[in-house]
Amino acid sequence: MPFSIGTIIWREIWQRKSRLVSGLMAIALGIAVITGIQTVTTVSRQVVAEKLDLLGANILVLPQAASLDDYYSADIDAPTFPEDYVERVATSMLPGVDNMSPKLSRRVKIGTESIILTGILPVNELASKPIWQASGLMAAELDLACATATAAGAPAAATTPIDPAKKRPVIDSLAAAEAWVGSVAAQRLGLTAGQVVTVEGEPFTVTHILPETGTIDDSRVFVHLHTAQRVLGTGTQISAIEIMGCCSAISDGLLAKLRNILPDTRITTISHIVNTQIETNRLMAKVSVIMLVIIVLVGAISIGNYMWANVEERRREMGTLITIGFKKRHIYRLFFVKSLVLGVIGGASGYLLGTGAALILGPQLAGLQVSPVFSLFVWSLVVAVGIAVVGSWYPTYRAARMDPALIMQEQ
Amino acid sequence: MFVLDNLTKIYHHRSEPVYALDSVRLTIPRGSFLAVTGGSGSGKTTLLLMLGGLIRPTSGTVTFKGSDLFSLTPAQLAEYRNRAIGFVLQTFNLVPYLTALENVMVPMLLNGTAAADRRNRAEALLKQLSLDRRMDFFPRELSIGQQQRVAIARALANDPEVILADEPTGNLDPSLSVEILDILEALNREDGHTVVMVTHNPQAARRAQTVLQLSAGRIISEKAVAPTGTAAASEGSRGVDKSN
């Protein structure tokens, strides 16, 4: 390889390996910390998103003329809309819609008690009712959570066919003559599992008494949606669709997009759930940004310190090169190329170190199954090179402006 | 070659002006060998660095081959140093992590010399200075005499018209000093390089054709050196014009 300015840079780095190591350590450790944290955070986000999804449905679609009172009281004349609205949303492939559970609710007389009969699609309903799952009613595994939906690049709509292999042996079906009964309703009606309850003249076997949820669901009797439509004589009408929406998608205007698809409905969020989800996501994002800023600052200061020391150490050398005829741009090149090399090596080794630490420590300390985030590799290189260049900018500027006459007179 | 007209350099120390050079007028012809002597702080190094375009005068001009040096841009001054000037310094100032050969090639990186020519020229110079067996040695592996010879080879890399030497024998023992002075003298007499050498050493100064003595930034004497090595007062002779 012919002798060039590149040779000078490489020789200086190579001949001063021990000093290089301290400079590299500063970058590599900084990048390792942020890569490790980001790797764990990425996994944590998915876990948190899944847990947030478990809070249940967060968007409610009602008929235009209906109020929330209508929805909860389920009066006989409460407005309805066609069931095929569910299909309309599903086929729109709208990102951020994790699950939809359509339902038809009507207040009926069972014996002497006034009870709300609610027709549901059991798989979809279970997906949005995690607390029911705890009692042995299990939902099929849906493609939950913002992170996974985004990664897949497509929403998991309610009508997405569910891979039978993913299903666990669960109680997730509700036959035409079966009913699930809320805990309060069961108490009021004196029902236990296996008994038969007659609703609107039709007998239903109670296959499950639902766990207490502290919600209006405790006072309901659930049958299959299509059975309810037949029994109540509403045709293919429903009272509402409860949607589990990805919270970041809600922030990004999911409601407006739903309104475009279903213009004659009233779409609202279940605010306490959405707010919790959005606040949690914001907090995690803020923590990541704060960590990034700290690491960038510490890294830049460390590199700046190293480069400063390097410039001081090389004062005589710089003075000599200037007397030989080096211009400012040559001096800038010497130091900036060196900082680029430091950035690339420091970034790459920091990524490997941080990812390795996350893979080892993630399961041990946080109980998370961590996998490498390959996109962080590019990110690590960019940040490390940025830190190195920013950190070495002022020392390099000083080096280029050195007065060789003063250096000569220092001899 | 050089014409210094009313050259003054003032530094400020605690708000007090300190004259490093005071109204110096001097002509240095092509092919001359000038020794500049004087005590510490007399301004001799300032004069040398000004000839190299490294220090800007407070007033006055330095003309090199008819061009005012300090009307040049910093980039043009860098090219001037690279092509027209070769510096030889007391502490050699070799780049410590480059070999002798690479140190000599450094100046040629900047003036477009082809890679093969750079190597050939550097090898030839090192051979000329009896360093052909030390080409791949790092400075720390060379004796100080060898280091100074490498520095001279580097100064000659781009075949400059002028050699500016700042105490080139200051760190050398007497026999090595003679060796280095022989080289500088040969460069002047045989190859026609103009040599300006700053020195404390009277014996070294007598190797020059003209000895200029500075005190407090002023030229206080200028003597032509007789061929026998004894200096004879000869103001204005050999083209050196002193005027304070």
Side-chain angles (χ1 to χ4, degrees):
Chain A
M1 191 178 74
F3 182 70
S4 65
I5 289 183
T7 315
I8 297 178
I9 296 165
W10 175 244
R11 278 299 180 75
E12 197 273 333
I13 290 174
W14 190 246
Q15 290 286 322
R16 291 167 172 161
K17 286 192 284 288
S18 57
R19 284 163 223 170
L20 173 75
V21 168
S22 64
L24 273 177
M25 289 276 278
I27 301 183
L29 286 179
I31 294 297
V33 169
I34 195 70
T35 303
I37 289 173
Q38 283 290 338
T39 303
V40 173
T41 303
T42 303
V43 176
S44 302
R45 272 204 197 115
Q46 290 171 1
V47 172
V48 169
E50 284 170 17
K51 289 194 185 303
L52 290 174
D53 279 338
L54 293 183
L55 291 174
N58 50 14
I59 298 172
L60 195 57
V61 182
L62 297 173
Q64 183 78 59
S67 65
L68 276 178
D69 283 345
D70 292 332
Y71 173 61
Y72 287 115
S73 63
D75 288 336
I76 189 74
D77 55 349
T80 57
F81 56 82
E83 185 187 344
D84 64 14
Y85 279 22
V86 176
E87 195 65 25
R88 209 188 284 182
V89 175
T91 54
S92 71
M93 301 297 284
L94 203 56
V97 175
D98 284 341
N99 183 51
M100 287 187 286
S101 48
K103 55 189 60 179
L104 173 66
S105 292
R106 282 287 182 272
R107 193 167 284 280
V108 295
K109 279 274 183 192
I110 300 177
T112 56
E113 296 289 338
S114 174
I115 299 287
I116 298 172
L117 178 71
T118 300
I120 57 171
L121 294 177
V123 173
N124 302 84
E125 190 69 16
L126 279 166
S128 68
K129 294 275 168 51
I131 197 163
W132 287 6
Q133 297 166 28
S135 72
L137 290 167
M138 300 298 284
E141 290 184 16
L142 295 178
D143 192 9
L144 289 177
C146 311
T148 45
T150 306
T159 52
T160 303
I162 295 161
D163 180 358
K166 282 188 174 179
K167 283 187 177 180
R168 284 172 276 181
V170 294
I171 302 169
D172 63 355
S173 61
L174 193 55
E178 290 177 349
W180 296 339
V181 181
S183 59
V184 173
Q187 206 171 16
R188 283 167 58 194
L189 298 171
L191 290 173
T192 56
Q195 288 188 308
V196 174
V197 60
T198 303
V199 180
E200 299 288 290
E202 286 209 20
F204 292 90
T205 302
V206 177
T207 57
H208 205 83
I209 303 298
L210 297 168
E212 190 172 335
T213 62
T215 67
I216 197 163
D217 287 346
D218 294 348
S219 304
R220 296 183 186 214
V221 170
F222 294 90
V223 296
H224 196 284
L225 175 64
H226 298 146
T227 305
Q229 287 169 336
R230 180 175 54 75
V231 168
L232 296 170
T234 61
T236 57
Q237 294 286 302
I238 54 175
S239 316
I241 307 171
E242 286 181 357
I243 296 178
M244 287 172 66
C246 168
C247 50
S248 64
I250 294 173
S251 304
D252 292 342
L254 177 61
L255 296 190
K257 291 168 192 165
L258 281 170
R259 284 185 188 114
N260 282 339
I261 296 168
L262 306 173
D264 55 344
T265 58
R266 180 159 177 259
I267 298 173
T268 182
T269 57
I270 301 174
S271 60
H272 66 281
I273 293 177
V274 171
N275 288 344
T276 301
Q277 292 167 330
I278 289 174
E279 283 306 313
T280 306
N281 276 355
R282 272 191 193 149
L283 183 65
M284 294 195 70
K286 277 181 189 167
V287 169
S288 292
V289 168
I290 290 168
M291 292 299 297
L292 181 66
V293 168
I294 291 172
I295 295 298
V296 165
L297 278 178
V298 171
I301 290 168
S302 301
I303 289 302
N305 185 43
Y306 167 74
M307 293 299 281
W308 186 285
N310 192 240
V311 166
E312 287 300 313
E313 180 183 47
R314 298 172 69 186
R315 279 173 67 85
R316 177 182 288 188
E317 184 190 323
M318 291 302 111
T320 305
L321 293 176
I322 292 169
T323 62
I324 286 171
F326 269 54
K327 298 174 185 171
K328 280 183 185 172
R329 65 183 168 89
H330 296 122
I331 305 293
Y332 278 123
R333 196 167 147 198
L334 288 179
F335 284 94
F336 274 129
V337 172
K338 179 174 179 175
S339 63
L340 275 177
V341 171
L342 282 175
V344 169
I345 298 174
S349 52
Y351 170 80
L352 294 175
L353 200 64
T355 301
L359 291 179
I360 294 166
L361 298 178
Q364 288 178 9
L365 299 182
L368 294 170
Q369 284 305 317
V370 180
S371 48
V373 182
F374 295 108
S375 60
L376 283 179
F377 182 70
V378 176
W379 180 92
S380 297
L381 290 185
V382 169
V383 171
V385 167
I387 287 173
V389 169
V390 168
S392 60
W393 175 81
Y394 185 67
T396 305
Y397 173 77
R398 273 189 86 228
R401 290 179 62 87
M402 247 176 214
D403 184 346
L406 289 177
I407 298 164
M408 296 297 130
Q409 287 166 343
E410 282 173 11
Q411 292 178 55
Chain B
M1 175 158 278
F2 284 107
V3 177
L4 283 60
D5 184 22
N6 208 23
L7 200 62
T8 299
K9 178 67 183 179
I10 304 172
Y11 294 109
H12 286 88
H13 181 68
R14 297 184 180 178
S15 306
E16 291 294 317
V18 178
Y19 282 78
L21 288 178
D22 188 0
S23 309
V24 169
R25 286 198 173 88
L26 182 67
T27 300
I28 304 173
R30 179 192 296 270
S32 59
F33 186 170
L34 175 69
V36 183
T37 64
S40 292
S42 61
K44 53 189 189 301
T45 297
T46 300
L47 177 67
L48 192 82
L49 295 176
M50 226 170 252
L51 294 176
L54 289 166
I55 294 181
R56 195 167 284 274
T58 306
S59 63
T61 56
V62 177
T63 306
F64 175 73
K65 293 166 74 174
S67 299
D68 179 4
L69 271 192
F70 295 100
S71 66
L72 300 178
T73 63
Q76 287 170 327
L77 272 176
E79 280 168 23
Y80 157 75
R81 281 192 292 275
N82 180 247
R83 290 163 195 262
I85 303 292
F87 277 97
V88 179
L89 304 165
Q90 181 179 354
T91 49
F92 327 130
N93 291 38
L94 299 176
V95 180
Y97 47 84
L98 298 180
T99 64
L101 186 70
E102 289 166 340
N103 264 287
V104 179
M105 286 196 284
V106 170
M108 291 184 273
L109 287 176
L110 307 174
N111 69 351
T113 307
D117 293 343
R118 287 201 291 262
R119 175 169 278 273
N120 292 339
R121 167 91 179 144
E123 285 175 351
L125 284 167
L126 289 171
K127 272 181 194 166
Q128 192 182 329
L129 291 162
S130 309
L131 289 165
D132 41 326
R133 292 186 161 194
R134 297 287 184 273
M135 288 185 188
D136 295 326
F137 282 44
F138 288 99
R140 62 177 178 277
E141 298 167 328
L142 299 170
S143 69
I144 55 171
Q146 289 167 338
Q147 288 183 48
Q148 189 60 300
R149 278 186 279 153
V150 174
I152 291 172
R154 182 180 65 187
L156 296 171
N158 287 334
D159 194 22
E161 292 168 85
V162 182
I163 303 291
L164 298 178
D166 188 12
E167 302 280 9
T169 59
N171 277 353
L172 307 179
D173 62 34
S175 64
L176 286 176
S177 296
V178 169
E179 186 184 309
I180 295 304
L181 290 168
D182 285 345
I183 293 169
L184 291 175
E185 197 172 54
L187 289 172
N188 171 249
R189 288 197 177 154
E190 295 166 21
D191 300 338
H193 294 280
T194 302
V195 179
V196 179
M197 176 178 70
V198 164
T199 182
H200 273 106
N201 183 342
Q203 285 183 321
R206 280 198 290 273
R207 301 293 292 271
Q209 296 160 353
T210 307
V211 178
L212 199 71
Q213 190 170 10
L214 292 180
S215 178
R218 289 171 170 260
I219 298 175
I220 57 169
S221 76
E222 172 262 316
K223 295 173 181 171
V225 180
T228 54
T230 54
S234 172
E235 197 164 316
S237 67
R238 287 181 180 269
V240 178
D241 169 37
K242 183 205 79 176
S243 175
N244 291 332

